[in-house]
């Protein structure tokens, strides 16, 4: 399976902290683990990251501009930072339930934790979705999350059997961002 996300600050945000990121996650067909992760940053910090997931050796390898920088041990069924949003589709969600999902960005592997906070209907680009709100624990996230005392990462996934992530929202010390679903292809599940 292939997932992609583009993150871009608006003109006002560019004045303070320009962001131009593209992320791609690739999993096996059954969506049981990640195979490859790519992140290209063309803002203030330029990166061309590739993380390979070697399941025979149980290692994730982190490359930036083609040069290997790190290698970490994988937990069984680890996902990359983007595909893990879509792995929520395989949980039976209900308000109050806690979730644990192994995640590796190639620099570290953690048992990511989240909890289902509420069920509500939200409007995304003119479409109403019945959703579960999932709050991801940010204690193991790096970058701007690590620098923010009250960082928050929220994901709204549809309450039907497809569990499509339709909105991702975060608040950090430099501001906030919202990612809304633009489109999706046919879903086999």
């Amino acid at each position: 399976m292939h997932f992609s996300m583009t993150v871009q600050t608006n003109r006002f945000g560019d004045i303070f902290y320009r962001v131009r990121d593209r992320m791609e996650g690739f999993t096996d067909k059954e969506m049981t683990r990640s195979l490859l992760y790519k992140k290209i940053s063309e803002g203030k910090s330029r990166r061309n990251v590739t993380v390979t997931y070697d399941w025979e050796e149980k290692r994730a390898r982190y490359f930036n501009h083609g040069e290997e920088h790190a290698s970490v041990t994988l937990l069984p069924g680890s996902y990359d930072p983007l595909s893990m949003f879509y792995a929520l589709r395989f949980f039976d969600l209900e308000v109050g339930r806690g979730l644990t999902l192994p995640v590796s960005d190639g620099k570290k592997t953690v048992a990511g934790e989240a909890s289902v906070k509420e069920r509500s209907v939200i409007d995304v680009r003119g479409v109403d979705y019945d959703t579960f709100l999932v709050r991801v624990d940010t204690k193991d996230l790096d970058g701007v999350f690590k620098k923010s005392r009250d960082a928050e990462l929220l994901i709204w996934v549809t309450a039907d059997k497809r569990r499509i992530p339709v909105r991702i929202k975060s608040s950090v010390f430099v501001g906030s961002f919202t990612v809304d679903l633009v489109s999706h292809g046919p879903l086999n599940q």
Side-chain angles (χ1 to χ4, degrees), residues 6-25:
T6 303
V7 179
Q8 179 175 327
T9 50
N10 60 24
R11 279 189 235 164
F12 180 74
D14 283 349
I15 295 168
F16 303 102
Y17 193 82
R18 184 175 190 263
V19 175
R20 299 291 185 276
D21 290 353
R22 177 166 174 84
M23 290 154 272
E24 294 184 85

Side-chain angles (χ1 to χ4, degrees), residues 27-93:
T27 68
D28 61 353
K29 186 175 159 184
E30 295 78 26
M31 189 79 191
T32 62
R33 60 188 181 184
S34 283
L35 303 174
L36 181 68
Y37 174 68
K38 295 181 179 185
K39 180 177 181 183
I40 298 174
S41 298
E42 296 177 348
K44 286 190 175 185
S45 58
R46 296 190 179 272
R47 291 190 192 111
N48 189 345
V49 171
T50 300
V51 179
T52 60
Y53 297 81
D54 183 336
W55 288 102
E56 286 185 23
E57 292 187 24
K58 296 181 177 71
R59 305 287 301 168
R61 291 185 170 74
Y62 179 97
F63 299 86
N64 189 10
H65 295 285
E67 184 179 326
E68 186 169 356
H69 288 269
S71 173
V72 295
T73 302
L74 289 168
L75 294 171
S78 292
Y79 292 94
D80 64 76
L82 179 59
S83 298
M84 73 111 180
F85 293 127
Y86 296 89
L88 289 171
R89 295 178 56 214
F90 299 99
F91 284 91
D92 289 325
L93 302 181

Side-chain angles (χ1 to χ4, degrees), residues 29-171:
K29 186 175 159 184
E30 295 78 26
M31 189 79 191
T32 62
R33 60 188 181 184
S34 283
L35 303 174
L36 181 68
Y37 174 68
K38 295 181 179 185
K39 180 177 181 183
I40 298 174
S41 298
E42 296 177 348
K44 286 190 175 185
S45 58
R46 296 190 179 272
R47 291 190 192 111
N48 189 345
V49 171
T50 300
V51 179
T52 60
Y53 297 81
D54 183 336
W55 288 102
E56 286 185 23
E57 292 187 24
K58 296 181 177 71
R59 305 287 301 168
R61 291 185 170 74
Y62 179 97
F63 299 86
N64 189 10
H65 295 285
E67 184 179 326
E68 186 169 356
H69 288 269
S71 173
V72 295
T73 302
L74 289 168
L75 294 171
S78 292
Y79 292 94
D80 64 76
L82 179 59
S83 298
M84 73 111 180
F85 293 127
Y86 296 89
L88 289 171
R89 295 178 56 214
F90 299 99
F91 284 91
D92 289 325
L93 302 181
E94 61 184 55
V95 175
R97 181 169 188 190
L99 313 168
T100 303
L101 193 66
V103 180
S104 180
D105 64 359
K107 291 182 176 180
K108 67 181 175 179
T109 302
V110 299
E113 296 179 6
S115 58
V116 182
K117 293 302 186 187
E118 66 182 31
R119 185 171 178 171
S120 61
V121 175
I122 65 167
D123 176 284
V124 177
R125 302 173 64 87
V127 177
D128 287 337
Y129 292 97
D130 181 17
T131 65
F132 286 108
L133 170 58
V134 179
R135 184 182 183 280
V136 176
D137 188 335
T138 60
K139 74 178 183 312
D140 292 318
L141 299 178
D142 285 335
V144 73
F145 292 102
K146 193 170 198 167
K147 298 173 187 172
S148 303
R149 186 176 46 167
D150 297 323
E152 188 171 53
L153 182 59
L154 305 171
I155 306 168
W156 284 262
V157 296
T158 58
D160 59 14
K161 67 180 181 178
R162 299 175 304 161
R163 301 280 194 260
I164 300 170
V166 294
R167 175 169 286 157
I168 301 169
K169 189 173 186 177
S170 182
S171 298

